[in-house]
Amino acid sequence: MNSLQGKEHAGDYLFLPAAEHFGFSCSAVLLLCHFAVDVELWYPCPQPNIAFCRGRIVRVPKGPLIRVLGTEVAIPCSVSDYDGPSEQNFDWEFARETDFVRIVSTWDSTFTSEEYQKRVGHGDIKLRRSSNDAVELVIKNIQPTDQGRYKCSTPSTDATVQGNYDAEVQVKVISDGLWVSGSKARSSTSLKLSEGDSFKLRCSAITTSPEHTHLHVTWQIKSGLSWQDILSLTHEGKFQPGPGYEERYRDGDIRLDTGANDTYRLSVSQASSVDAGTYRCLVSEWVRGADSSWQKIQEKSVEIASVSIQRTVLDVLISTSNLSVTERDSLDLTCNITTDRSGIFQAEVTWYFSGSPDDTLSDAQVLLSMDHDSVVSDSTLISLSHVDRNSYRLLVRDVGVEDSGYYFCQAAVWVPLHNGSWHKVVERTSAPVSVVVTALEPDYEVFLNASKTPKFSDDPTELECRITNAQDTEANIRFTVSWYYKEHLPGDDVATEELLATMDADWTLLLGDRSRERTQNGEIIFSKKAVDTFSLRIQWTSESDRGDYFCVISAWSRHRNNSWVKSKDVTSAPVSILWATQDYTLTVEAVKLKPFFVAGHTFEMTCKVSSKNIKTPRYSVLITAEKPLTDQSNPNGTTRIISLNQDSVVRLEDWTDQTRVDGVVLEKVQENEFRYRMYQTQISDAGLYRCVVTAWSPGGGGMWREAVNGLSNPIQIDFQTSGPVFNVSVHSDNLTIYQGELADLLCIITTDGMALEPDDMSFDVSWFAVRSFALDREPVLLASVDRRGIVTQSRRNGSSDLSLERISPLEFRLRVHGCEDHDFGNHYCVVTPWVRSATGVWQQEPAVKAKPVFLSVKMDVLNAFKYPLLIGIGLATVIGLLSCLIGYCSSRWCCKKEVQETRRERRRLMSMEMD
């Protein structure tokens, strides 16, 4: 555009000869360029559809437009890319040759020329606005004189003139050559059809148009207020089914065929109620426009026929009402169907069975069916026969109780089609008929008796359940039994029945919860002794078995499918299983055989047992000792020493003295007498000794059942001694220590009373610690040493270590090496003295506990922070010196630079007047 700067211009516009001069592909474009002197470039653009063009664009359809004489013509016109108001005005003009005549305008009522004022005033020619920027010129009943060129113009509302402001289109009027007709006999026929019938309709359509046009044929139906498309043959030669007719078209039930003499035939098969209505043939004529698109130029229709569809009437009825049939008899039902259908048709019949009258067909059972070809489904005991044209008989042989229910019949009417297939036109279902099958119940009685009753607990019990006076018990009847138990409750309370066992139709025994375990162990036996006798045997009757027993005999009938169904239950009278009972009594007497003895001698006592109301009892004996509460070995006071069970098996219970494992003996002297001996008694054995006896009676399966317990009188062991009294204390020179130091704790033993030689004394020493200030936690064993000098340490989690040693006959030292913070707490020792008697026997004295002392472990703050502080100070010093050295070297050698001072001239400011 720089070449334009030297051009001469007149006013504000510069006209260019051609847009191609500037490289534009559009031959009609408006170029608007603003130079420094406000120059505008204007260039007309006769082709407004190019994307590079700017400015107003007026569009009309590409011509020529072919229209049929006498039809209504609508020529659209639109404008785009304009300035000004959104609603634009349009002017239409017409020219047959060269001169245009004004027809109508949207904004000027005086625009219409005299030639068109009458047609415009009558509305034969009018403008129809479709939007703010589009209108249509509508010409009703177009005539040959209307053939010519039509120009659409838009008055300018733009700030500058740019684009095209009008467009022209050629309209060509041709004569009407389309002819549509129906049947030759009459214009419209009336057809009355039955449901399922087929029918055909014909129409003729031909065109003699001078242009190359195509026909579009559509069959329509009107059953309400509007017409609905059925099937079309489009102007492009394609078949197009209407909405809702796609599936029938695919199945071939609706077809459109072309025949001779330009006929179009509609064929409908399997007519239903939706096919009733008025049918017409709608034909439209189409021509391909200049833009290769199809345009409909006219449309005609003719009503062909009025079709009415009569629904097929079908009634289905079972001739027999509700009835009752005896088991093993035959059931005979007849299904009658009536219809108004004439001509060729076939019936299909299906019999259904249901347990409820409200069940649907999907829930019901299909018994038998006969299709429209008279083919019957296979069945052995059920048959279906065609008695006459309207009657179908169902016969069920050898009915059973399971055949009771509701029977109903479903019938359908089928008609043949043109292709040889069959179509179902109607289907109905009868009302259900109730059938009750009365069972042939056998007649019998049930008797229950006790062949064996218990007199004592653990005696056997046997009950027999018999079937008596049995009648009508043929081979198709079998009996099973169910056993029940009911507990005896005091007063008027009623107990619930408990199932012991039952048999199913295959004589399979099903156990109840009450008897399952005992039956599996063989304590309860259920058996069938004969065809009419069932037995229940309890091998060992217990107190829990006391109560009432009864049996239920069930009769089962075999059906034709070899299944068994329970038909009757008969319950026997109850039988009570009771026996006289008395409370068990057990008496135990303990006797001390040697009234006086001293420590080291043998203690001996016997236990004599007597019992009542216990059948063949056996006894188990337990020897217990009640020690003084000061005994540290058993803080609860009672110790279980030794026991002997009912099978004479001896067992040491809580006897833990390993040096005297054989020091206690319990033996059975007689059936009801037991002797206990304790050898080399010690002072620590002092206390009250008893015999705890349990009586056992024989139970089921060789097992023993506990009957009653008894406790003897106490026998006291009391040693009168004047020996020494031992005292224990804990001492430490320093109870507050620092971590890592050594802690020394001394356990000091002192004696009062009789003096003893050191060789006659020995001690078991144990050290304990309580990790709290208030002694509210469990003590922890640290270490111990026995009287033989064997040291035992407990497992430790920390890094500290322990040592325990005897430094004198009465002093024991505990050392904690490398103390840690978890070694704090209350520490004490427990001493068990051992004294040798004059006979040389070592006697254990009661244990003595020392008063605890609190050991405190502290942290040495100076030692803890000494090395970290020294290391920190040293590192800080080294880093400071290194920083100074680096700074000095950098300033000395690396950052030195010569600086030359700039010489400044000294001048005075000049006065402005001297310029």
Side-chain angles (χ1 to χ4, degrees), residues 372-390:
H372 55 81
D373 293 327
S374 298
V375 178
V376 182
S377 56
D378 188 19
S379 181
T380 304
L381 299 176
I382 306 176
S383 63
L384 177 60
S385 58
H386 194 179
V387 180
D388 53 36
R389 180 173 177 81
N390 298 323

Side-chain angles (χ1 to χ4, degrees), residues 73-85:
V73 177
I75 306 175
C77 178
S78 63
V79 63
S80 62
D81 299 334
Y82 56 88
D83 295 335

Side-chain angles (χ1 to χ4, degrees), residues 418-687:
H418 63 281
N419 58 1
S421 61
W422 290 82
H423 168 61
K424 181 166 61 176
V425 296
V426 65
E427 186 177 63
R428 295 289 184 271
T429 303
S430 69
V433 173
S434 175
V435 175
V436 178
V437 179
T438 305
L440 294 174
E441 294 185 354
D443 188 13
Y444 59 94
E445 297 178 357
V446 178
F447 176 71
L448 177 65
N449 72 308
S451 57
K452 290 184 179 180
T453 56
K455 296 182 180 179
F456 295 97
S457 179
D458 298 327
D459 283 353
T461 301
E462 186 170 0
L463 303 175
E464 291 185 351
C465 185
R466 295 173 181 255
I467 304 172
T468 61
N469 300 328
Q471 298 178 4
D472 298 331
T473 56
E474 54 186 17
N476 291 325
I477 299 294
R478 64 171 50 170
F479 297 97
T480 60
V481 68
S482 299
W483 292 95
Y484 291 89
Y485 164 80
K486 182 184 293 186
E487 183 183 1
H488 268 299
L489 295 179
D492 297 333
D493 296 338
V494 178
T496 58
E497 301 173 354
E498 297 184 62
L499 176 66
L500 300 178
T502 184
M503 291 181 180
D504 60 10
D506 297 329
W507 291 313
T508 302
L509 186 64
L510 304 176
L511 300 175
D513 295 337
R514 178 180 178 85
S515 63
R516 179 175 290 109
E517 183 177 357
R518 296 179 66 187
T519 304
Q520 293 173 351
N521 295 333
E523 300 179 24
I524 300 179
I525 301 173
F526 299 94
S527 61
K528 181 180 180 181
K529 291 186 174 181
V531 177
D532 58 349
T533 304
F534 300 89
S535 69
L536 163 63
R537 180 180 176 85
I538 304 176
Q539 298 286 71
W540 301 277
T541 309
S542 62
E543 290 290 335
S544 60
D545 296 326
R546 297 164 62 94
D548 293 337
Y549 293 80
F550 63 93
C551 63
V552 178
I553 298 296
S554 301
W556 298 76
S557 301
R558 182 167 60 186
H559 289 185
R560 56 174 176 267
N561 58 357
N562 292 326
S563 64
W564 293 90
V565 177
K566 185 186 295 186
S567 58
K568 189 176 182 180
D569 285 334
V570 178
T571 304
S572 70
V575 172
S576 298
I577 300 299
L578 300 171
W579 62 89
T581 60
Q582 296 180 354
D583 295 336
Y584 297 139
T585 59
L586 182 66
T587 304
V588 184
E589 180 183 5
V591 179
K592 186 177 181 180
L593 298 181
K594 295 181 180 180
F596 301 102
F597 68 97
V598 295
H601 289 184
T602 300
F603 169 73
E604 186 175 1
M605 75 174 186
T606 60
C607 297
K608 295 184 178 180
V609 184
S610 61
S611 62
K612 294 181 180 180
N613 303 323
I614 303 176
K615 181 181 178 181
T616 60
R618 284 192 182 182
Y619 306 103
S620 62
V621 181
L622 171 65
I623 303 300
T624 63
E626 297 180 10
K627 300 294 185 68
L629 296 178
T630 57
D631 188 358
Q632 299 295 328
S633 62
N634 187 11
N636 294 327
T638 302
T639 303
R640 298 159 54 92
I641 300 177
I642 191 172
S643 64
L644 184 145
N645 65 8
Q646 66 271 18
D647 294 326
S648 301
V649 178
V650 179
R651 176 185 175 186
L652 287 176
E653 298 292 338
D654 298 333
W655 185 262
T656 58
D657 192 349
Q658 299 298 325
T659 61
R660 299 167 60 199
V661 174
D662 299 330
V664 290
V665 175
L666 179 61
E667 58 186 352
K668 184 177 181 180
V669 180
Q670 296 181 5
E671 190 65 31
N672 61 344
E673 184 177 353
F674 302 87
R675 181 168 54 200
Y676 170 66
R677 289 178 180 175
M678 181 167 55
Y679 301 101
Q680 297 181 358
T681 56
Q682 300 180 6
I683 296 177
S684 59
D685 295 329

Side-chain angles (χ1 to χ4, degrees), residues 90-155:
F90 296 86
D91 297 333
W92 280 91
E93 297 175 276
F94 170 73
R96 294 187 182 88
E97 298 297 338
T98 58
D99 298 332
F100 282 92
V101 180
R102 292 177 293 178
I103 303 176
V104 69
S105 174
T106 59
W107 61 288
D108 187 3
S109 59
T110 63
F111 180 79
T112 306
S113 64
E114 184 177 355
E115 179 181 352
Y116 286 95
Q117 287 181 358
K118 183 177 180 180
R119 297 178 66 182
V120 172
H122 291 168
D124 293 339
I125 298 177
K126 62 181 179 180
L127 287 180
R128 183 167 56 202
R129 182 179 290 276
S130 55
S131 64
N132 287 338
D133 55 2
V135 296
E136 290 180 345
L137 176 63
V138 180
I139 303 175
K140 295 183 179 179
N141 191 16
I142 191 169
Q143 299 298 317
T145 55
D146 296 324
Q147 178 173 297
R149 291 181 294 123
Y150 289 83
K151 181 171 67 174
C152 176
S153 304
T154 59

Side-chain angles (χ1 to χ4, degrees), residues 701-713:
M703 305 296 293
W704 290 95
R705 182 174 57 85
E706 181 179 343
V708 66
N709 295 318
L711 183 66
S712 71
N713 55 298

Side-chain angles (χ1 to χ4, degrees), residues 194-216:
S194 298
E195 193 174 12
D197 288 349
S198 301
F199 64 93
K200 298 179 181 180
L201 302 176
R202 293 178 178 84
C203 81
S204 298
I206 189 172
T207 179
T208 59
S209 174
E211 299 292 332
H212 181 69
T213 59
H214 289 196
L215 297 183
H216 183 118

Side-chain angles (χ1 to χ4, degrees), residues 313-442:
V313 177
L314 177 64
D315 293 330
V316 183
L317 178 65
I318 299 178
S319 58
T320 308
S321 59
N322 301 341
L323 74 159
S324 176
V325 182
T326 306
E327 191 178 11
R328 309 297 182 203
D329 288 347
S330 297
L331 173 63
D332 191 353
L333 297 174
T334 302
C335 179
N336 297 322
I337 63 173
T338 57
T339 179
D340 61 349
R341 188 81 185 187
S342 60
I344 301 175
F345 70 90
Q346 291 291 343
E348 178 184 20
V349 176
T350 304
W351 281 93
Y352 289 89
F353 169 77
S354 174
S356 171
D358 300 328
D359 286 348
T360 61
L361 288 180
S362 59
D363 299 328
Q365 175 188 355
V366 178
L367 298 178
L368 273 183
S369 64
M370 177 185 292
D371 62 10
H372 55 81
D373 293 327
S374 298
V375 178
V376 182
S377 56
D378 188 19
S379 181
T380 304
L381 299 176
I382 306 176
S383 63
L384 177 60
S385 58
H386 194 179
V387 180
D388 53 36
R389 180 173 177 81
N390 298 323
S391 299
Y392 297 84
R393 179 188 179 193
L394 175 69
L395 182 62
V396 183
R397 304 178 186 87
D398 193 16
V399 296
V401 179
E402 72 277 7
D403 294 322
S404 298
Y406 295 88
Y407 293 77
F408 49 95
C409 171
Q410 184 186 62
V413 174
W414 293 74
V415 296
L417 300 179
H418 63 281
N419 58 1
S421 61
W422 290 82
H423 168 61
K424 181 166 61 176
V425 296
V426 65
E427 186 177 63
R428 295 289 184 271
T429 303
S430 69
V433 173
S434 175
V435 175
V436 178
V437 179
T438 305
L440 294 174
E441 294 185 354

